[in-house]
Amino acid sequence: MTVAPPQTSSPPLRIGDVARIVGTTPRTIRYYEEIGLLPDTQATRPPGQHRLYSEAEIERLREIIRLKRLTGVTLDELKTLIEAEEARATIRRELDDTEDPGRRRELLKRAVGHLDRQLELVDRRARELAGLQEELQARRRRVLTRLRELDKASV
Amino acid sequence: MTVAPPQTSSPPLRIGDVARIVGTTPRTIRYYEEIGLLPDTQATRPPGQHRLYSEAEIERLREIIRLKRLTGVTLDELKTLIEAEEARATIRRELDDTEDPGRRRELLKRAVGHLDRQLELVDRRARELAGLQEELQARRRRVLTRLRELDKASV
DNA sequence: TTGCTCCTCACGTCACGTGAGGTGGC
DNA sequence: TTGCTCCTCACGTCACGTGAGGTGGC
């Protein structure tokens, strides 16, 4: 019973390529696996063998790293946020399987909740950054004004 | 020759109050002093005596911490950025003193340069954050669309 | 005088960086 | 076969956290 849908899956990549693609280092990827932020490859892989990553795993890792970089959450907080992401993946698979509309509705609502939690973090950061940005721009304008006044005076 | 302009200077605060105000910890402030990011109070203060901070110093510290939090620069990078800030303070004092228009112009131009470097960092971060924000919002909309479709189907 | 905050070591921790020595696939 | 990347320890580092023991101002 091979029911996998026909998909053009590109070949899995090794840790070095993945690191370059998502903008990090192999060590970081291994560390995330070590603390349980990424699925444990040790279980599915003979010790000493290379780690391999699918397109989907790479995409997921990219999101994790982006969220960390841009919001500054700790890896522990990120883990709770990502367990939500993880839940989303599970939800998707279950969604494809289930026909029960009630169940589908519940799963989708949970997905919205997870996204809302991430958006809340990102929105707050965006507001803080905008505040700093405006302040720096205001200072810049004031200095430029003084420069122009200097020009006028010297004529 | 007391030429200090009449200013309503509020009394200097202690490290705990300062930390609370700028949203950090006393340990962090001491650490920043230790690595040379903040001026060395050890020089001006008998060992064992309390550190005291003026309004201006607190404002400066607030900016440092904001820049760090929101751009994610390392303390070493921040130090170079802040040496620029430091330079700005010096510039301001010199500006108040000098009458030479050529000198004034040069100092002001340097100030603009320093602000531009900080703004470049902040602008890039803001763009990255906006990208992530849009992506999360798009996902959210897609899930909501699926929820509405489910509603229609169940009617 | 009693709390409270401050002080200076100094060790602990988080999130990795960086070799050290060895194995595995184009 | 030769590079190159990978592997697993394991110690180092950056940016602080967290007591330990002691001193100083409302």
Side-chain angles (χ1 to χ4, degrees):
Chain A
M1 50 177 280
T2 24
V3 280
Q7 53 178 351
T8 53
S9 67
S10 41
L13 295 180
R14 293 188 300 176
I15 198 167
D17 300 317
V18 174
R20 221 168 300 117
I21 289 173
V22 306
T24 183
T25 69
R27 165 67 183 161
T28 296
I29 299 179
R30 290 194 199 102
Y31 179 64
Y32 286 2
E33 178 184 324
E34 189 184 328
I35 63 168
L37 220 168
L38 296 180
D40 186 15
T41 68
Q42 308 270 34
T44 64
R45 171 180 58 102
Q49 289 306 79
H50 290 22
R51 289 169 179 81
L52 292 177
Y53 298 89
S54 69
E55 276 301 314
E57 287 173 305
I58 295 171
E59 200 44 48
R60 181 169 140 75
L61 178 57
R62 194 207 304 281
E63 280 308 303
I64 289 178
I65 290 188
R66 241 173 129 192
L67 212 56
K68 163 119 201 312
R69 252 180 56 78
L70 297 181
T71 67
V73 290
T74 69
L75 292 187
D76 238 48
E77 296 164 329
L78 193 56
K79 221 152 132 187
T80 17
L81 272 173
I82 287 312
E83 270 156 24
E85 272 287 327
E86 177 71 358
R88 278 189 68 232
T90 317
I91 286 169
R92 284 212 149 185
R93 254 174 275 123
E94 205 183 327
L95 260 180
D96 293 340
D97 286 357
T98 190
E99 293 293 329
D100 175 15
R103 181 68 182 145
R104 286 182 72 90
R105 167 191 291 277
E106 192 202 319
L107 292 173
L108 285 170
K109 280 193 173 175
R110 287 231 305 260
V112 176
H114 297 146
L115 284 168
D116 280 344
R117 284 177 54 198
Q118 299 188 19
L119 268 168
E120 208 174 316
L121 265 179
V122 171
D123 288 353
R124 191 189 324 147
R125 262 293 154 113
R127 280 195 302 274
E128 288 175 352
L129 249 183
L132 178 55
Q133 203 173 16
E134 279 168 30
E135 216 166 285
L136 289 172
Q137 282 164 354
R139 280 197 216 161
R140 205 188 109 100
R141 278 195 302 273
R142 279 197 292 274
V143 177
L144 286 181
T145 301
R146 295 179 68 183
L147 256 176
R148 275 197 304 276
E149 279 167 7
L150 204 62
D151 281 352
K152 268 192 285 183
S154 72
V155 173
Chain B
M1 48 177 282
T2 24
V3 281
Q7 53 179 352
T8 52
S9 67
S10 40
L13 295 180
R14 294 188 300 175
I15 198 167
D17 300 317
V18 174
R20 220 169 300 116
I21 288 173
V22 306
T24 185
T25 68
R27 166 66 182 161
T28 295
I29 298 179
R30 290 194 199 102
Y31 180 64
Y32 286 2
E33 179 185 324
E34 189 184 328
I35 63 168
L37 220 168
L38 296 180
D40 185 17
T41 67
Q42 308 271 35
T44 63
R45 171 180 59 102
Q49 289 306 77
H50 290 22
R51 288 169 179 80
L52 292 177
Y53 298 89
S54 70
E55 275 302 313
E57 286 174 305
I58 294 172
E59 199 45 47
R60 182 170 139 75
L61 178 57
R62 193 206 306 280
E63 280 307 302
I64 289 178
I65 289 188
R66 242 173 128 192
L67 213 56
K68 164 121 202 310
R69 251 179 56 78
L70 297 180
T71 67
V73 290
T74 69
L75 292 186
D76 237 50
E77 296 165 330
L78 192 57
K79 220 152 135 187
T80 17
L81 273 173
I82 287 312
E83 269 156 23
E85 271 286 327
E86 177 71 358
R88 278 188 69 231
T90 317
I91 285 170
R92 283 214 151 183
R93 251 173 279 125
E94 204 182 328
L95 260 180
D96 293 340
D97 286 359
T98 187
E99 294 292 331
D100 174 15
R103 182 68 183 144
R104 287 183 72 91
R105 166 191 292 276
E106 193 202 318
L107 292 174
L108 285 170
K109 281 193 173 175
R110 287 229 307 257
V112 176
H114 296 147
L115 284 168
D116 280 344
R117 285 176 54 197
Q118 299 188 20
L119 268 167
E120 208 175 317
L121 266 178
V122 171
D123 288 352
R124 192 191 322 147
R125 262 292 155 112
R127 279 195 303 274
E128 289 175 351
L129 249 183
L132 178 55
Q133 203 173 15
E134 280 168 30
E135 217 166 283
L136 289 172
Q137 283 164 352
R139 279 197 216 160
R140 205 188 110 100
R141 278 194 302 272
R142 280 197 291 273
V143 177
L144 286 182
T145 301
R146 294 179 69 183
L147 257 176
R148 274 197 304 275
E149 280 168 7
L150 203 62
D151 282 351
K152 268 192 284 182
S154 71
V155 173

